[in-house]
Each structure stands twice: as C-alpha cells, then as structure tokens.
Amino acid sequence: YDLTQPPSVSVYPGQTATISCSGDRLGDKFASWYQQRPGQSPVLLIYRDDKRPSGIPERFSGSNSGNTATLTIIETQALDEADYYCQTWDTPTYVFGSGTRVTVL
Amino acid sequence: EVQLVESGGGLVQPGGSLRLSCAASGFTFSSFEVNWVRQAPGKGLEWISYISGSGSPLFYADSVKGRFTISRDNAKNSVDLQMNNLRAEDTAVYYCARGYRGYESDAFDIWGQGTMVTVSS
C-alpha cells in the first residue's frame, strides 16, 4: 500500500498550508500525521483522521475522505517549518507517506 | 515523564548483527504496543516491526522479515530488535514508538530519540 505526498509546500507566515496524502481508498482507513523538525524525532500531530493529541495547537487539523487525507495548518508560523508525514494502518502493517517539506517563506 | 530511550546502535559490517534496545518509563509498559520505525539518511520514515503488549502477535515489514526479530521483556520495561545479516540499505536512524491505544493502535504517540545504525565495511 502506498501513500503519496507532495515533496514540498511553501507558505507565507500567517497563511494556511495544506498537505495532501493520497492512497487507494484511504478514506476507508485511519490517517495520522507527524511533524519532524530537523534533527528531531517525529511528533504525532493528528490521529484517527482529525483528532489532536493533548498539547498540539488547534492550528493543526486533519480530514480524510475518498482517496485523500489532508493536513491543514492555519496561521502558519516559522516554527512550523518541518517535514510532515502521513501514515495509515494497513492491517497488520503500517505505512508512511513519502513526506512533505514545509517551507515558511 | 513518559519516554522511550533507544540504545545499541553503531557501526557494523555487512552480514553482521546488532541488537537494539528500547527502554520505557513513565507508563504501564505491558499495556502498550511498541513499534520500530527507521529513517535512512535524508529519507522518509519506514515502519519495520510491531510487538503487542503481551509479546504476541509480532509483525514485520517485508524488507526485514526473516532477518530482524522483535521481542520484549515487560519485567524490564524494554523492547529489543535483533538485527541479523545486515545490509548497507539497513543504514538508518532506528526509532522505537508506542502505539497510543494499547491495542490495535493506528498511530504512534511517543517516540524515542533514535539510535543510528551504520552498515559499512
């Protein structure tokens, strides 16, 4: 099972960034999103399509329908510059997307 | 504090073996699944292995099946990854990551800091 993400997304500070993740009937599965800043471990941002773990800012939101899951970052800040990975559970294995580098211009 | 700490990485020759460990603290370890995820230099994340809270079932990615073995010791709050017949393409940072639900987790909420494995002659 493959998940496809755009290699890069650029956004101006204060604007909205959207990152797509495509997979066959992905909407029938759960999608999660992780943020990985340079030199750091991944951090869970979104699970079960649209749930935020405690401590994750409301600026981050997720959706999943059809063949595409989407991560949306509103009011983007410089500290949001990082790599973002989608992930799904293709029972019993897990699959990560190829990753999207978000650049804050 | 809930945390996972990996150890055991290093330089190994092709065909060699290495054993990684993941030490957990701050939570009821036996109640949670643990996974290993790796990241080759400059590349994305790759899930490679899963172990349930009880120690069974176990699952592996095709890329490591038959060469890697995951195990856990709930008395010691640790998970190990025995890696045999290592190849250059196994060079990566190896992370352990906790399944957030405890069973049938679809995501990983706690990650270790990673340990680097380099396979080279």
Side-chain angles (χ1 to χ4, degrees), chain B residues 24-34 51-56 72-79 98-99 101-103:
Chain B
S25 60
F27 63 98
T28 305
F29 181 66
S30 61
S31 296
F32 288 88
E33 307 147 306
V34 175
I51 188 166
S52 72
S54 66
S56 178
R72 69 188 293 159
D73 185 338
N74 285 341
K76 295 182 178 179
N77 286 0
S78 69
V79 170
R98 187 182 82 166
R101 288 189 68 203
Y103 69 99

Side-chain angles (χ1 to χ4, degrees), chain B residues 67-107:
Chain B
R67 299 187 300 124
F68 290 12
T69 302
I70 190 171
S71 62
R72 69 188 293 159
D73 185 338
N74 285 341
K76 295 182 178 179
N77 286 0
S78 69
V79 170
D80 288 351
L81 186 69
Q82 176 66 41
M83 305 186 296
N84 297 330
N85 190 20
L86 283 161
R87 307 165 180 167
E89 54 265 36
D90 295 318
T91 295
V93 174
Y94 284 72
Y95 297 100
C96 59
R98 187 182 82 166
Y100 77 96
R101 288 189 68 203
Y103 69 99
E104 297 184 347
S105 295
D106 50 280

Side-chain angles (χ1 to χ4, degrees), chain A residues 4-56:
Chain A
T4 301
Q5 299 180 234
S8 62
V9 166
S10 297
V11 61
Y12 287 99
Q15 299 302 304
T16 297
T18 58
I19 305 169
S20 62
C21 173
S22 298
D24 184 45
R25 302 182 68 174
L26 180 57
D28 292 342
K29 307 175 188 293
F30 287 125
S32 304
W33 291 92
Y34 301 83
Q35 177 193 66
Q36 187 179 33
R37 294 190 176 108
Q40 296 187 17
S41 301
V43 172
L44 178 64
L45 291 178
I46 298 289
Y47 65 100
R48 297 230 155 176
D49 298 340
D50 58 6
K51 308 291 187 293
R52 273 188 316 276
S54 60
I56 300 301

Side-chain angles (χ1 to χ4, degrees), chain A residues 60-89:
Chain A
F60 294 92
S61 64
S63 63
N64 185 19
S65 178
N67 294 322
T68 304
T70 302
L71 176 70
T72 302
I73 312 171
I74 65 171
E75 302 170 354
T76 305
Q77 303 175 9
L79 57 82
D80 297 330
E81 190 160 279
D83 293 328
Y84 292 82
Y85 294 90
C86 60
Q87 174 250 313
T88 194
W89 185 33

